[in-house]
Amino acid sequence: MEYVSPEGLRLDGRRPMEMRQIRAEIGVVAKAAGSALFEMGNTKVIAAVYGPREVQNRSQQLNDSALVRCEYTMANFSTGDRMRKPKGDRRSTEISLVIRQTMEACIMTHLMPRSQIDIFVQVLQADGGTRSACINAASLALADAGIPMRDLVTSCSAGYLNSTPLLDLNYIEDSAGGADVTLGILPKLDKVTLLQMDAKLSVETFENVMQLAIEGCKAVATYIREVLLENTKQLEYRRGI
Amino acid sequence: MRELQLSLNQTQKVRLQRALEKLESLSSKANSNASVTVADSIPVNYEDGLLKGHGTSEFNGEVVATVCGIVERVNKLVYVRALRARYKPEVGDIIVGRVIEVAPKRWRVEINYSHDAVLMLSSMNLPDGIQRRRTALDELNMRSIFEENDVICAEVRGFQHDGLHLQARSQKYGKLGRGQLLTVPPYLVKRRKQHFHHLENYGIDLIIGCNGFIWVGEHVQVTDDMVVDQVNKSEQDDAKPDENSISPEDQGKNYTRQETRENICRAANAIRVLSTLGFNITVEVITETVDLSTSINVAIHEMLGSEFYVLVAEKESVRRSMTKKK
């Protein structure tokens, strides 16, 4: 199948290096300490952060740092075919773990000893790149909750199809069987916190694809910062200090 | 970006927008774009020497923010004040909390902090008001003072090795009854000299806890128990034989007049409106909002309707521009 037309357009009309439209909203869950909604094209994800709060399971308490927990779920209606997945299926357990580790790398856990931070992410609409969207949403929600972080983690995926590097794969491109690289970076510190790939690529191609993904992450970071700054200003003038 | 979940019609939308814009213009005059987000570098002058405070860290020789908020500078100290953060207790804060556990010699209290607070039996006044050693009998009777799920008011005593300690060494602290507990974001409450308020025109008590728990209740006369107890005790002894039949005095004690109850609800709704709009919550603003609602004859349940939100926002913008002029 042809994923990039001779004119250089992808199936959904994007250029190979073009991202889908992103949109973020803060404060969508009233009861949570911080929450965010993140959209990348048709992928829509909601994240809520609770805490830092008392550790629920005393045996897991850490005396020098905070315990970070993450739960990833996909709504039953998020995909085309409505499937009832058991709660602890292997895919969501793996993604929960990935998000937890990525977030732990940026949260300054040593400032909140003997406490627990819960991150809940749910996919409302899935169209490829749910992993990246979840990380971006979780990052925003953590910033909204006022939890100290070294940097905002941003994530973006890239792939390689029809011998072209493609940025931000959608579901059709994702399931085409080509390589899919999910990258998470700390833009300010210029460090990689997550790198996953599910096929083989030669080193040169991989570097191109990775470079593309880094560009994508940075674009997401710029947008997220704008949203956060706008939110901070709103809060400030509402309080009228 | 935090949008209100309200159904506004077109005119209300425009009016709200205008009021909020006015607020924005009023505040932006006061400080020059000091807001930062996570990982923004903060411009500092290294020659003067520098102390990094909360919400900052160092990276590549730059000072970097770790939370979203406003940069504050005090002499050499540079810190970021987070605008949306959990409550952080300070010694002497007056807080409202909920008892979640009765443990040996102590109560565990939920106070909106990342850990539960501890109120020791020894750091509170006993109901009889006599200063003495706490005996084993007192320990057994702890549930007669506070039970699980009771709402109490106390003061932050300080951090001990086993967590945050509270104290309640005065008649004004203690169990709260006959009223409503409201939870607002703690960053809307400012520390002030006075957190206990008695709104005389409405006959209600208002306790604005620093932790974002606000108590609105019927006014309770703070009595010196030492004197009253003598009388009460004899009454109680008389009443004991027939516990089932409620004596008229007890009935009077448990009964809250409808007017007072309405006032409580009105004040509670005013606080709800203010916290949804994200305005700072002080006793002056609350009374003004309550007065506004009574002066234009808004029913209590209509206070949570969109029209009143718009009115409060407009009122607030007028109020702030007035204080600016002074």
Side-chain angles (χ1 to χ4, degrees):
Chain A
M1 199 175 151
E2 195 177 58
Y3 290 97
V4 184
S5 71
E7 295 86 49
L9 289 176
R10 283 150 76 175
L11 292 174
D12 50 5
R14 283 185 286 159
R15 300 274 167 194
M17 310 224 174
E18 203 177 325
M19 263 176 74
R20 291 176 284 181
Q21 194 175 30
I22 50 177
R23 194 177 80 87
E25 202 177 307
I26 289 179
V28 284
V29 183
K31 278 276 175 225
S35 59
L37 179 84
F38 195 84
E39 287 175 37
M40 288 177 104
N42 285 331
T43 303
K44 195 188 251 188
V45 168
I46 196 167
V49 170
Y50 292 86
R53 60 183 177 186
E54 194 97 342
V55 182
Q56 278 164 355
N57 187 351
R58 274 287 157 82
S59 60
Q60 292 178 329
Q61 181 169 304
L62 304 170
N63 276 323
D64 54 346
S65 64
L67 173 74
V68 181
R69 297 201 323 179
C70 179
E71 197 178 301
Y72 164 95
T73 44
M74 268 180 110
N76 288 326
F77 51 82
S78 64
T79 47
D81 40 347
R82 192 185 175 97
M83 276 191 292
R84 190 171 290 279
K85 295 186 202 86
K87 199 186 153 209
D89 69 324
R90 297 181 79 164
R91 195 181 108 87
S92 31
T93 326
E94 188 250 358
I95 298 185
S96 304
L97 184 76
V98 164
I99 299 172
R100 186 174 68 81
Q101 287 173 342
T102 325
M103 288 303 150
E104 240 174 6
C106 75
I107 299 173
M108 301 172 93
T109 47
H110 63 278
L111 295 178
M112 298 157 278
R114 292 183 291 281
S115 54
Q116 164 181 336
I117 298 168
D118 288 302
I119 306 168
F120 297 97
V121 277
Q122 182 155 43
V123 179
L124 300 179
Q125 210 168 288
D127 184 29
T130 52
R131 221 171 282 233
S132 328
C134 286
I135 289 170
N136 293 333
S139 190
L140 265 172
L142 282 171
D144 181 39
I147 292 171
M149 292 193 286
R150 288 189 187 83
D151 197 353
L152 288 166
V153 197
T154 53
S155 168
C156 190
S157 66
Y160 191 72
L161 286 168
N162 294 143
S163 47
T164 330
L166 302 175
L167 183 63
D168 194 12
L169 304 183
N170 65 19
Y171 181 71
I172 305 166
E173 290 163 337
D174 199 14
S175 47
D180 171 20
V181 180
T182 303
L183 179 74
I185 62 163
L186 300 171
K188 177 89 178 179
L189 310 179
D190 229 0
K191 280 185 178 151
V192 174
T193 52
L194 166 74
L195 181 61
Q196 288 188 312
M197 180 161 73
D198 58 3
K200 281 186 184 170
L201 281 180
S202 71
V203 176
E204 298 89 75
T205 353
F206 171 70
E207 292 210 329
N208 283 336
V209 174
M210 172 121 171
Q211 202 53 49
L212 190 62
I214 290 177
E215 293 302 318
C217 290
K218 287 193 173 156
V220 174
T222 329
Y223 178 70
I224 283 185
R225 268 161 191 293
E226 269 171 32
V227 172
L228 278 175
L229 197 62
E230 175 63 25
N231 183 54
T232 317
K233 281 189 179 154
Q234 283 254 345
L235 281 173
E236 187 195 349
Y237 82 71
R238 289 278 182 93
R239 274 173 69 179
I241 316 146
Chain B
M1 295 306 242
R2 196 167 289 274
E3 265 153 45
L4 295 176
Q5 311 284 326
L6 288 172
S7 55
L8 300 164
N9 63 31
Q10 199 56 44
T11 36
Q12 283 170 341
K13 244 180 225 165
V14 173
R15 282 164 58 205
L16 185 64
Q17 194 73 29
R18 200 178 301 148
L20 293 180
E21 269 165 19
K22 195 167 177 197
L23 287 180
E24 190 172 7
S25 67
L26 283 172
S27 100
S28 58
K29 269 177 219 156
N31 50 35
S32 53
N33 288 335
S35 6
V36 285
T37 64
V38 176
D40 273 348
S41 48
I42 303 165
V44 282
N45 192 358
Y46 285 96
E47 285 153 24
D48 305 348
L50 170 72
L51 282 168
K52 294 200 303 300
H54 287 294
T56 58
S57 73
E58 198 167 342
F59 168 70
N60 269 358
E62 275 181 89
V63 181
V64 171
T66 58
V67 288
C68 297
I70 295 169
V71 182
E72 299 271 352
R73 288 158 209 267
V74 180
N75 295 333
K76 284 183 183 175
L77 176 70
V78 176
Y79 69 95
V80 179
R81 190 159 44 88
L83 284 181
R84 250 180 76 81
R86 247 191 132 76
Y87 166 65
K88 203 153 182 263
E90 278 173 30
V91 175
D93 276 358
I94 288 160
I95 52 121
V96 177
R98 196 181 278 276
V99 177
I100 51 168
E101 190 190 341
V102 181
K105 285 187 189 160
R106 68 190 67 203
W107 292 274
R108 303 196 79 82
V109 189
E110 210 270 306
I111 60 159
N112 212 10
Y113 177 50
S114 54
H115 301 277
D116 293 331
V118 173
L119 175 62
M120 297 289 288
L121 176 61
S122 57
S123 54
M124 75 167 295
N125 275 9
L126 293 178
D128 55 10
I130 305 165
Q131 285 289 348
R132 58 176 168 84
R133 267 185 81 93
R134 308 300 192 261
T135 58
L137 193 68
D138 288 324
E139 217 178 302
L140 289 172
N141 288 332
M142 272 173 72
R143 271 212 174 70
S144 67
I145 307 175
F146 300 140
E147 271 181 324
E148 283 92 347
N149 294 327
D150 276 353
V151 177
I152 62 161
C153 172
E155 186 186 304
V156 175
R157 181 172 168 216
F159 285 93
Q160 247 87 39
H161 61 282
D162 59 341
L164 183 72
H165 278 242
L166 304 177
Q167 60 181 4
R169 288 202 187 277
S170 149
Q171 288 305 325
K172 58 185 182 178
Y173 301 126
K175 185 170 166 177
L176 302 168
R178 283 187 274 175
Q180 282 189 36
L181 176 72
L182 295 150
T183 315
V184 302
Y187 56 88
L188 295 178
V189 179
K190 256 193 181 163
R191 293 190 171 86
R192 305 184 96 193
K193 272 194 183 144
Q194 199 49 257
H195 284 269
F196 292 90
H197 302 284
H198 172 210
L199 307 183
E200 272 155 24
N201 338 2
Y202 301 105
I204 55 175
D205 269 347
L206 196 65
I207 303 172
I208 306 177
C210 293
N211 57 341
F213 286 178
I214 297 182
W215 176 259
V216 192
E218 190 193 3
H219 178 59
V220 195
Q221 207 71 43
V222 178
T223 46
D224 199 350
D225 275 12
M226 303 280 267
V227 188
V228 182
D229 256 26
Q230 309 295 324
V231 192
N232 269 359
K233 230 166 237 166
S234 57
E235 274 177 19
Q236 271 164 15
D237 290 341
D238 295 342
K240 247 170 202 168
D242 45 5
E243 266 176 17
N244 294 335
S245 63
I246 305 158
S247 63
E249 290 139 49
D250 274 355
Q251 209 169 15
K253 267 186 183 172
N254 288 324
Y255 179 70
T256 314
R257 284 185 309 143
Q258 189 182 353
E259 201 189 332
T260 320
R261 278 184 280 171
E262 279 173 358
N263 284 335
I264 290 172
C265 292
R266 205 172 268 282
N269 275 353
I271 295 166
R272 286 193 186 103
V273 170
L274 290 168
S275 85
T276 323
L277 285 167
F279 295 155
N280 254 358
I281 291 171
T282 59
V283 69
E284 293 87 16
V285 182
I286 295 170
T287 40
E288 269 179 40
T289 316
V290 174
D291 290 342
L292 176 72
S293 78
T294 42
S295 67
I296 54 167
N297 281 325
V298 179
I300 293 164
H301 66 277
E302 280 165 8
M303 286 175 76
L304 297 176
S306 37
E307 175 64 24
F308 193 68
Y309 276 90
V310 178
L311 281 172
V312 170
E314 282 174 344
K315 170 110 180 164
E316 179 74 5
S317 70
V318 171
R319 196 182 68 87
R320 279 192 209 167
S321 60
M322 293 282 272
T323 49
K324 265 281 146 60
K325 270 171 203 161
K326 280 172 199 166

